[in-house]
Amino acid sequence: MSVPIEALTEDRSAATENTCFHCGLAIPTGFNYAVTIEGQRRSMCCHGCQAVAEAILAAGLSDFYQHRTAPSRRAEDLIPESLRGLELYDRPDLQKSFVHSESEHIREAALMMEGIVCAACVWLNEHHVGRLPGVLAFRVNYSTHRASVRWDQRQIQLSNILTAISAIGYIAHPFDPRRQEALQQRERTVALRRLAVAGLGSMQVMMLAVGLYAGDYQGMEQWIRVFLRWISLILAVPVVLYSAQPFYQSAWRDLRRRRLGMDVPVALAIVTAFTASVWYTWQGGGEVYYDSITMFVFFLLAGRFLEMTARHRAGQISEALVRMLPATATRLDASGEEQLIPLTELTPGDRVLVRPGETIPADGWVLEGRSSVDESLLTGESLPLPRVAGEALVGGAVNVESPLVMQIEKVGSDTVLSAIVRLLDRAQSEKPRLALLADRIAGWFVAALLVVAAVVMAAWWIQSDFDTAFRITLAVLVVTCPCALSLATPTSIVAATGALTRLGLLATRGHALETLARATHLIFDKTGTLTYGRLRVVAVEPTGNLETRRCLELAAALERGSEHPVGRALVEAVGLLPLSATEVRNIPGSGIEGWIEGRCYRVGRAEFVTAAGAVLLPPAADVDSTSTWVALADDSGVLAWFQLSDSLRPGAAEAVAALQQRGLTVELLSGDRVATVAHIARELAISQAIGGMSPQDKLARLRQLQSQGSVVAMVGDGVNDAPVLAAAQVSLAMGSGTQLAHATADMILLSERLDYLASGIDRARKTLAIMRENFAWAIGYNLVALPLAAGGWLTPWMSALGMSFSSLVVVVNALRLRQT
């Protein structure tokens, strides 16, 4: 049977005051944990019971205590069913789709956050969850309301993190792009509904206020004045109790955590003004502020609705990325039968059919077929890329021409697309230096605002009457709301990173744009950065009557299946191989030999391919010391020479010139041969180039520049670049680089188009300029508006209009960065 709390309390003796109200265990001596439940202070035995009890109350489940008969000793009975369901998210089969395993014990997950209304909510969640033992990192993306959490499985479970978020009044659950879209739609619907109520209410109240103001100058009978005030009260009630509800909830959350958020002065202004107006309406005298209250709520909601719309638009690029994968895939069984399955059922090793026009469901490689794929949204590359058997496919790309059969290699959170989304979320949720400064100022600003408001109230009350003092203090509270200050940088960062991602330049750290804008030196690695990082056949010089194509086909037939860079280059130069070799024998360090159509051929070093053991290189080899030369020979002698080199990427020279035009000092540091590096530097007009450098030498050069006050940006690719990338103030990795280089870099050039580096510099500088503009506007506005309000020159409704206009200016200015 059910027994209310009061009955339980009466049945307990004085000794039960030393037992935990939640679990019933004895409270150790010296422990002082308590939670107020149904208006009564209840003692707890530990921080865990206290946290769970607070979570139960925050979730609105206080009836849990009213309807239990006695505290249970069983763990499963100590948590309500609705909260106990969070433990399902600890199951490995459920985590497969949204949790990324960095190591045996370290996990990272993407979450959706409900209840986030302002930057203060982000701060509260990040600080609350970040202090939990075992949580390594917790970041909330204010623009998309997505959170990224890293934790140690040995210390804390995901369900514990979700419960801790519930304890402070927010709801978190695994990220689902379709649910995210539904939540955003619901957020827009609720916001529009609240805005409509506030708009209708404010219009009606303002019409009545015009009559009241006219009566103050032309005279009005008292009963009409009282009647109009009561009607205004009735019209203002829905605005104050319904439309303004988010401000109260946010302010209450801040106060419960002993923090002064931006909604604290907003809620204080609304509640005090409405209370005073109700009192004066009841008393029949004084001044009422129904018009100012309703206008304030309407303008504030209108500003936040526009900010919400801008936030959704700014986050469209990451939303587009997560929606790229299809809901289903066509799996092929052992007999080749097609089976349409949900994407979540795909596992590594599955064979999947991808028809023309369909989206590749996961990462893998081509088993059968030949087609081209569109990776434009992933890399920014506008042209479809050819794919044949054995080549890699990336989930989210679109098959353009012909059917492909692929083998799945990675699914879920392990795919390239998931990694891109994680990096983009990390960049958008991390705060640059200006944003951290704005957050610190905003926190102190609210406290200072409340002190200033108290001083203004006291000063005007002393020299005037209470009504005048209250009106001016209300104007001060309204006009100086720090909304614009908190929006000054987050909106700019999200808009800029989204625009750059569309170009194929992915920012992975929050400080990347700000630091890149201040860069004075840009250091390039050569191999894989300015060049492709792989050998290509650039010339074929037959020595006899054989055609160039025939020479290439003979060499490629011998090198078929070779993993050597020279062999791969020869095979790639031919494409489809019409010949095959037998009795192929590889001689490490020398070359390869085999039989084709009854004749023995060799490819490799000159001294290997000829029986004589010595042969002269072609004349061009003496001129170009940067290339690799290999020979094709048979028993009669050398048949052809192949010149192979690591060619420059298209647009490399133009990209270097564009960077130099922007005032950057460009250097080339490479571990390659000195002659090769000097040759590349001459082609690109780079004056400072050093070859034969070890990673330690590169690091020393970087430190030298930094000690001279330079802000260094490093562009690299590969494992040996990782230490230098980590040491640079801002680092960029090529999209084809190793995973370690990606993890170390602050930005990734997914498109591998070097000309986008100049665009990135321009966008970074524009972002920094707009952040400074927004910051200056927010501070300058408050410096001007505060004296005007404190001096009595601004009425409350004027203050409401000015505050909303200030926030709107910041958002619209930031959205200029979305233009690519």
Side-chain angles (χ1 to χ4, degrees):
M1 66 175 180
S2 297
V3 181
I5 291 178
E6 292 77 6
L8 287 173
T9 305
E10 292 172 1
D11 289 342
R12 292 174 181 161
S13 63
T16 60
E17 295 179 359
N18 295 323
T19 61
C20 177
F21 183 77
H22 182 68
C23 70
L25 295 177
I27 299 176
T29 304
F31 279 50
N32 186 26
Y33 298 103
V35 177
T36 301
I37 302 173
E38 297 292 327
Q40 298 189 44
R41 190 177 186 273
R42 303 296 185 180
S43 299
M44 303 288 163
C45 65
C46 64
H47 178 70
C49 284
Q50 182 188 44
V52 173
E54 289 177 344
I56 291 171
L57 296 178
L61 302 173
S62 58
D63 288 346
F64 169 77
Y65 292 110
Q66 294 184 9
H67 297 294
R68 67 175 183 174
T69 55
S72 172
R73 300 298 175 88
R74 297 197 308 160
E76 59 268 26
D77 292 336
L78 295 176
I79 302 177
E81 183 67 31
S82 58
L83 288 181
R84 202 155 60 230
L86 296 177
E87 295 177 0
L88 291 173
Y89 294 127
D90 294 333
R91 290 169 47 181
D93 56 332
L94 286 182
Q95 290 188 356
K96 182 173 64 173
S97 62
F98 69 94
V99 174
H100 172 65
S101 299
E102 294 186 7
S103 64
E104 183 181 357
H105 302 292
I106 306 302
R107 303 286 187 270
E108 182 176 1
L111 304 176
M112 295 166 60
M113 301 290 296
E114 296 185 41
I116 301 290
V117 296
C118 64
C121 299
V122 173
W123 183 94
L124 176 60
N125 276 278
E126 289 180 343
H127 282 71
H128 176 69
V129 178
R131 287 198 294 263
L132 296 175
V135 174
L136 305 178
F138 183 73
R139 295 181 298 270
V140 179
N141 186 336
Y142 173 61
S143 294
T144 60
H145 290 185
R146 288 210 304 271
S148 172
V149 59
R150 291 177 65 244
W151 73 95
D152 189 334
Q153 285 275 92
R154 294 168 295 184
Q155 300 182 54
I156 194 170
Q157 298 297 314
L158 180 59
S159 59
N160 304 133
I161 298 172
L162 299 180
T163 302
I165 295 172
S166 288
I168 55 173
Y170 298 88
I171 300 174
H173 41 77
F175 175 71
D176 179 348
R178 293 167 184 83
R179 187 173 179 184
Q180 172 88 346
E181 190 173 1
L183 283 176
Q184 288 188 348
Q185 182 59 44
R186 189 177 73 183
E187 183 185 14
R188 283 192 294 268
T189 301
V190 173
L192 272 174
R193 192 180 297 128
R194 295 188 192 278
L195 183 62
V197 171
L200 290 172
S202 62
M203 284 190 294
Q204 301 303 316
V205 171
M206 278 303 298
M207 286 193 295
L208 298 175
V210 171
L212 289 170
Y213 291 146
D216 290 337
Y217 292 98
Q218 301 177 5
M220 177 182 290
E221 294 186 31
Q222 183 62 23
W223 72 268
I224 297 179
R225 185 185 304 277
V226 171
F227 176 75
L228 292 179
R229 285 187 171 190
W230 278 104
I231 296 299
S232 298
L233 169 59
I234 294 170
L235 292 171
V237 165
V239 178
V240 173
L241 297 185
Y242 174 69
S243 296
Q245 203 173 91
F247 309 130
Y248 310 142
Q249 293 170 343
S250 178
W252 177 241
R253 277 195 296 259
D254 288 335
L255 293 175
R256 282 179 57 200
R257 306 300 300 178
R258 294 181 174 85
R259 182 178 182 273
L260 294 175
M262 69 170 68
D263 281 336
V264 171
V266 171
L268 180 63
I270 295 171
V271 170
T272 54
F274 185 70
T275 302
S277 299
V278 171
W279 171 256
Y280 287 136
T281 301
W282 181 263
Q283 293 295 319
E287 187 173 354
V288 294
Y289 303 97
Y290 297 122
D291 56 336
S292 299
I293 297 168
T294 54
M295 284 185 65
F296 180 42
V297 173
F298 173 70
F299 287 139
L300 199 57
L301 288 175
R304 292 198 178 179
F305 180 79
L306 292 173
E307 182 269 328
M308 177 194 69
T309 303
R311 174 164 48 80
H312 290 174
R313 290 178 60 193
Q316 280 177 355
I317 181 63
S318 60
E319 301 300 326
L321 286 173
V322 298
R323 285 196 293 266
M324 285 177 67
L325 294 179
T328 59
T330 305
R331 185 168 60 189
L332 302 178
D333 58 20
S335 63
E337 291 293 324
E338 299 180 9
Q339 182 183 10
L340 193 65
I341 62 169
L343 188 66
T344 53
E345 293 185 13
L346 275 183
T347 57
D350 284 347
R351 293 166 62 242
V352 172
L353 173 65
V354 185
R355 296 181 176 86
E358 290 184 346
T359 301
I360 296 168
D363 293 356
W365 48 279
V366 180
L367 281 176
E368 302 172 18
R370 185 186 188 96
S371 185
S372 56
V373 296
D374 181 1
E375 298 180 354
S376 57
L377 193 55
L378 284 168
T379 66
E381 177 57 57
S382 57
L383 297 176
L385 305 174
R387 290 291 183 265
V388 297
E391 292 190 330
L393 293 172
V394 179
V398 178
N399 183 20
V400 178
E401 296 171 350
S402 306
L404 290 174
V405 176
M406 68 176 293
Q407 180 164 315
I408 301 299
E409 184 178 7
K410 294 179 180 179
V411 297
S413 60
D414 295 327
T415 61
V416 171
L417 182 61
S418 296
I420 291 174
V421 173
R422 281 197 302 272
L423 291 172
L424 182 58
D425 277 345
R426 182 177 71 180
Q428 292 181 343
S429 58
E430 287 184 346
K431 296 180 175 66
R433 183 173 51 88
L434 275 178
L436 294 173
L437 177 62
D439 286 348
R440 286 196 296 270
I441 291 176
W444 287 103
F445 182 83
V446 174
L449 168 61
L450 295 177
V451 172
V452 169
V455 171
V456 169
M457 179 75 179
W460 277 97
W461 199 352
I462 291 172
Q463 65 179 352
S464 185
D465 54 26
F466 174 80
D467 289 348
T468 301
F470 184 80
R471 174 176 55 79
I472 294 174
T473 304
L474 182 61
V476 168
L477 285 173
V478 171
V479 81
T480 53
C481 175
C483 297
L485 191 62
S486 297
L487 293 172
T489 52
T491 313
S492 302
I493 290 293
V494 173
T497 52
L500 285 175
T501 303
R502 284 191 288 270
L503 289 175
L505 184 58
L506 177 67
T508 69
R509 294 291 182 184
H511 74 87
L513 287 173
E514 183 180 2
T515 312
L516 185 62
R518 296 186 291 108
T520 58
H521 285 66
L522 195 143
I523 297 177
F524 279 107
D525 177 50
K526 181 187 78 70
T527 306
T529 305
L530 291 172
T531 66
Y532 281 102
R534 60 183 183 270
L535 292 175
R536 293 187 174 189
V537 177
V538 295
V540 180
E541 294 189 13
T543 60
N545 297 324
L546 285 180
E547 294 182 354
T548 299
R549 176 69 184 179
R550 176 66 176 178
C551 295
L552 276 173
E553 289 174 352
L554 290 169
L558 293 172
E559 296 285 3
R560 185 200 299 263
S562 173
E563 289 300 319
H564 193 277
V566 170
R568 288 202 303 267
L570 290 169
V571 173
E572 288 176 1
V574 175
L576 188 63
L577 292 176
L579 302 175
S580 61
T582 59
E583 300 181 34
V584 177
R585 186 169 63 96
N586 179 40
I587 293 85
S590 296
I592 195 168
E593 69 175 5
W595 290 79
I596 303 174
E597 298 177 346
R599 197 165 188 172
C600 183
Y601 292 92
R602 299 184 186 90
V603 172
R605 298 164 64 92
E607 55 270 24
F608 164 71
V609 299
T610 60
V615 66
L616 293 176
L617 292 172
D622 297 328
V623 178
D624 183 6
S625 61
T626 65
S627 298
T628 298
W629 291 84
V630 296
L632 169 70
D634 60 6
D635 293 337
S636 64
V638 175
L639 301 176
W641 289 99
F642 303 105
Q643 181 186 2
L644 299 95
S645 66
D646 185 6
S647 56
L648 285 170
R649 291 182 184 272
E654 292 80 0
V656 170
L659 293 169
Q660 291 171 338
Q661 289 172 2
R662 284 158 176 78
L664 288 166
T665 301
V666 179
E667 295 191 9
L668 172 59
L669 307 180
S670 175
D672 210 340
R673 291 176 298 175
V674 174
T676 302
V677 173
H679 173 72
I680 294 293
R682 284 194 300 271
E683 284 195 48
L684 300 179
I686 299 176
S687 57
Q688 181 70 25
I690 307 174
M693 300 189 78
S694 67
Q696 291 75 20
D697 295 332
K698 294 180 184 179
L699 193 58
R701 174 58 180 164
L702 185 80
R703 297 295 190 200
Q704 179 186 6
L705 290 172
Q706 290 173 334
S707 66
Q708 297 169 359
S710 302
V711 179
V712 181
M714 172 73 189
V715 187
D717 175 80
V719 174
N720 63 340
D721 290 328
V724 194
L725 289 170
Q729 280 103 327
V730 61
S731 53
L732 299 95
M734 303 300 289
S736 60
T738 65
Q739 289 299 317
L740 179 58
H742 285 181
T744 309
D746 301 313
M747 304 182 79
I748 300 174
L749 191 59
L750 295 171
S751 62
E752 300 187 16
R753 290 185 54 176
L754 294 173
D755 53 320
Y756 284 163
L757 288 175
S759 301
I761 295 286
D762 292 340
R763 186 56 53 95
R765 290 176 176 176
K766 187 176 180 181
T767 301
L768 185 60
I770 285 182
M771 284 196 297
R772 286 172 173 167
E773 289 171 7
N774 286 348
F775 202 60
W777 166 263
I779 293 177
Y781 161 78
N782 281 287
L783 290 176
V784 173
L786 181 58
L788 291 175
W793 287 292
L794 294 180
T795 61
W797 69 266
M798 292 179 183
S799 300
L801 187 60
M803 181 277 304
S804 301
F805 177 73
S806 173
S807 300
L808 185 60
V809 167
V810 166
V811 172
V812 171
N813 192 37
L815 286 180
R816 292 193 293 133
L817 291 166
R818 295 185 71 248
Q819 302 169 1
T820 54

